């Protein structure tokens, strides 16, 4: 697993072999300066890629100029690697002061007492939320406490290579295209490329994309009270759909799908094994950079009258409960979320800014690729569902288990119905 670490304004690459561990208490303090009134050092960690890292580092430089007595060390990695390392750090009492948080893990970390309730910082005016989209704020709450502040909003879409599609005679996706249309488009791409390129990355591996499919049917992966919102029948139907697309040569082969880990480098699209993939639009700019050719975004297919996509909190920022510098950590969160100049630097690297004033400020100056993301979200805004609440404790484990069981399906080791039953049973166990 690869983790990026920045110290003293420089970024270096190190390799780290880490095992996921259980979160344990108590937590030790973070940071190693400032107790005597001197300079403060904060540790800030997030998941992402080199493109996101570049703009984040530039935003951190702006923060350090505004707060010259605060220095920020940063680290980042791919999604899976990031949470494995974060779990290890928390268990060892060495959590970063500020962490990027995903909705699948927020409740679990909050209920394990690993995150600081930011309500006091908000009430004291250190951390301002008045300009953040009201629909996003509840997703950072667990009960009455605020444990995360949204950085951005994103939604789901299909990111595709328009040149390959044009050569294959495939039309751009529209708000009326269906899963059968996806099958036909993918098969045509495969045929036109002599089987060298499949139509789409296999979206059956991620519970996020299953959630979109469920939303199209008026359901979701979790109910409002934190229970599992689907049964084996729904999952069997979904994985039967992906199997039908895979059999029709519309999806990537299993050998590519099993490598998916949320990183750009292991994307089936970046590996040039497919012409398109279901992804979050916040990944678009980084994907274009890694792909080396123009890409476009279209909506996810649907065979109901609902599109199922969410206007969701793409990522949020939390403060470790045991941070020795909670005030400065809250100041860093506030700056990254609310500062217009920081927003201009970071663009849509984490989705459209959650802060409405920042979003309006960056719109006229967005680079071409970021403008594609902005325009895409504007085009589907009226169809998007609101951000769901924080997932129940165990949501992160269910997310990982979903992919593991799907590997058993695509390699033919488990029939779809048995795999669906196994996943539902294990998910119910994880949710307690």
């Amino acid at each position: 697993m690869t983790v990026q670490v920045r110290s003293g304004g420089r970024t270096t690459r190190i390799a780290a072999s880490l095992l996921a561990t259980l979160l344990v208490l108590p937590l030790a303090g973070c940071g190693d300066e400032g107790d005597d009134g001197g300079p403060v050092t904060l540790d800030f960690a997030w998941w992402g890629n080199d493109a996101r890292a570049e703009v984040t580092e530039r935003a951190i430089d702006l923060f350090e100029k505004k707060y010259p007595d605060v220095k920020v060390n940063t680290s980042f990695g791919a999604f899976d690697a990031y949470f494995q390392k974060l779990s290890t750090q928390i268990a060892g009492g060495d959590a970063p002061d500020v962490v990027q948080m995903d909705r699948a893990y927020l409740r679990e970390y909050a209920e394990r007492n690993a995150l600081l309730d930011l309500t006091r910082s908000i009430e004291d005016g250190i951390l301002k939320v008045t300009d953040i989209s009201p629909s996003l704020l509840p997703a950072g709450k667990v009960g009455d406490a605020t444990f995360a502040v949204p950085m951005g909003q994103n939604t789901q879409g299909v990111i595709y290579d328009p040149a390959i599609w044009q050569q294959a005679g495939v039309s751009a996706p529209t708000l009326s295209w269906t899963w059968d249309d996806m099958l036909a488009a993918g098969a045509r791409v495969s045929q036109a490329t002599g089987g060298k390129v499949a139509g789409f990355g296999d979206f059956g591996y991620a519970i996020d994309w299953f959630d979109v499919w469920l939303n199209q049917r008026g359901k979701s992966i979790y109910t409002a009270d934190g229970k599992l919102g689907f049964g084996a029948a729904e999952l069997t139907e979904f994985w039967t759909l992906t199997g039908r697309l895979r059999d029709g040569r519309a999806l990537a082969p299993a050998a590519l799908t099993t490598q998916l880990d949320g990183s750009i480098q292991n994307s089936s699209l970046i590996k040039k094994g497919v012409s398109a993939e279901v992804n979050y639009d916040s990944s678009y700019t980084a994907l274009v950079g890694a792909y080396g050719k123009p890409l476009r975004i279209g909506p996810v297919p649907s065979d109901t009258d609902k599109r199922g996509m969410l206007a969701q909190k793409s990522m949020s920022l939390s403060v470790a409960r045991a941070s020795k510098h909670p005030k400065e950590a809250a100041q860093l969160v506030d700056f990254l979320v609310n500062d217009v100049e920081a927003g201009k630097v970071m663009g849509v690297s984490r989705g459209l800014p959650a802060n409405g004033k920042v979003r309006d400020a960056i719109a006229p100056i967005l680079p071409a690729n970021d403008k594609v993301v902005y325009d895409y979200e504007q085009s589907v805004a009226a169809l998007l569902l609101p951000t769901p609440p924080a997932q129940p404790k165990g949501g992160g484990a269910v997310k990982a288990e979903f992919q593991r069981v799907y590997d058993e399906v695509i390699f033919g080791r488990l029939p779809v119905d048995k795999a669906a039953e196994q996943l539902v049973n294990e998910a119910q166990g994880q949710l307690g």
Side-chain angles (χ1 to χ4, degrees):
M1 135 188 347
T2 301
V3 177
Q4 302 286 333
V5 178
R6 170 191 190 262
S7 180
R10 292 178 295 124
T11 302
T12 56
R13 182 180 298 268
I14 63 172
S17 178
L18 299 169
L19 296 176
T21 60
L22 294 176
L23 295 171
V24 295
L25 296 174
L27 300 176
C30 306
D32 55 0
E33 298 177 28
D35 295 338
D36 59 356
V40 166
T41 297
L42 297 176
D43 293 324
F44 171 36
W46 74 91
W47 73 86
N49 49 62
D50 290 343
R52 184 178 293 162
E54 179 183 354
V55 295
T56 303
E57 299 293 357
R58 289 168 56 195
I60 293 298
D61 289 341
L62 293 176
F63 174 79
E64 291 177 337
K65 287 179 182 178
K66 183 175 182 179
Y67 298 95
D69 289 334
V70 183
K71 301 302 177 185
V72 182
N73 294 329
T74 68
S75 64
F76 73 97
F79 184 88
D80 290 346
Y82 169 80
F83 276 103
Q84 288 174 6
K85 182 177 182 181
L86 182 60
S87 180
T88 301
Q89 289 174 314
I90 290 176
D94 191 30
D97 298 88
V98 178
V99 296
Q100 190 170 286
M101 186 52 58
D102 183 71
R103 69 187 184 107
Y105 291 90
L106 176 62
R107 184 178 296 274
E108 180 171 353
Y109 278 65
E111 291 184 350
R112 289 181 181 272
N113 215 24
L115 303 179
L116 181 68
D117 180 1
L118 298 170
T119 302
R120 179 69 179 272
S121 295
I122 294 171
E123 292 174 347
D124 289 347
I126 298 171
L127 177 52
K128 296 172 286 296
V129 297
T130 52
D131 294 321
I132 295 175
S133 301
S135 64
L136 300 179
L137 288 172
K141 286 181 170 288
V142 176
D144 294 329
T146 297
F147 290 103
V149 175
M151 284 193 79
Q153 170 187 303
N154 65 5
T155 193
Q156 305 84 7
V158 174
I159 300 176
Y160 64 98
D161 183 330
I164 293 179
W165 280 34
Q166 184 176 16
Q167 291 168 7
V170 175
S171 300
T174 68
L175 287 173
S176 63
W177 81 315
T178 67
W179 296 107
D180 283 340
D181 292 333
M182 174 182 266
L183 171 58
R188 291 189 71 171
V189 167
S190 180
Q191 182 179 14
T193 60
K196 294 180 180 179
V197 178
F200 301 88
D202 191 338
F203 52 90
Y205 83 101
I207 199 168
D208 296 40
W209 316 139
F210 177 48
D211 194 28
V212 173
W213 184 88
L214 284 172
N215 291 338
Q216 294 173 356
R217 286 149 180 79
K219 300 183 178 182
S220 60
I221 51 176
Y222 299 111
T223 62
D225 59 354
K227 305 297 183 182
L228 205 62
F230 65 93
E234 288 87 358
L235 185 52
T236 297
E237 185 178 352
F238 178 69
W239 278 345
T240 298
L241 167 67
T242 60
R244 186 161 61 90
L245 267 68
R246 195 166 50 253
D247 291 343
R249 295 185 296 179
L251 293 189
L256 274 178
T257 304
T258 194
Q259 299 177 49
L260 298 174
D261 60 1
S263 68
I264 294 292
Q265 63 266 27
N266 285 329
S267 155
S268 299
L269 180 62
I270 298 308
K271 288 179 177 290
K272 304 294 175 69
V274 302
S275 71
E277 68 180 26
V278 179
N279 209 323
Y280 289 106
D281 59 6
S282 53
S283 297
Y284 173 80
T285 299
L287 284 169
V288 172
Y291 193 69
K293 298 178 183 178
L295 296 170
R296 292 291 181 268
I297 314 176
V300 176
S302 177
D303 49 14
T304 74
D305 60 354
K306 301 180 179 68
R307 195 54 43 180
M309 301 183 301
L310 298 165
Q312 68 173 27
K313 172 177 65 66
S314 57
M315 298 161 202
S316 56
L317 294 177
S318 298
V319 174
R321 182 176 178 272
S323 171
K324 289 183 178 179
H325 311 296
K327 178 182 177 181
E328 290 81 3
Q331 287 174 332
L332 176 58
V333 173
D334 178 79
F335 183 84
L336 293 175
V337 170
N338 296 318
D339 188 87
V340 170
E341 294 307 312
K344 290 178 179 178
V345 166
M346 291 188 290
V348 298
S349 62
R350 289 175 171 84
L352 296 182
N355 183 305
K357 289 184 177 179
V358 174
R359 187 163 57 247
D360 291 342
I362 71 170
I365 61 170
L366 286 173
N369 289 330
D370 289 355
K371 186 67 163 51
V372 171
V373 178
Y374 182 88
D375 289 345
Y376 169 67
E377 288 218 17
Q378 293 294 98
S379 72
V380 299
L383 302 173
L384 302 181
L385 298 172
T387 297
Q391 292 185 2
K393 181 179 176 181
V398 173
K399 184 171 186 168
E401 189 65 14
F402 194 93
Q403 182 171 5
R404 189 196 69 77
V405 174
Y406 192 61
D407 270 358
E408 299 295 301
V409 172
I410 61 178
F411 283 105
R413 294 190 288 260
L414 269 179
V416 169
D417 57 344
K418 298 298 182 184
E421 290 177 5
Q422 178 177 319
L423 187 282
V424 167
N425 289 336
E426 293 181 1
Q428 289 173 336
Q430 291 289 351
L431 298 179

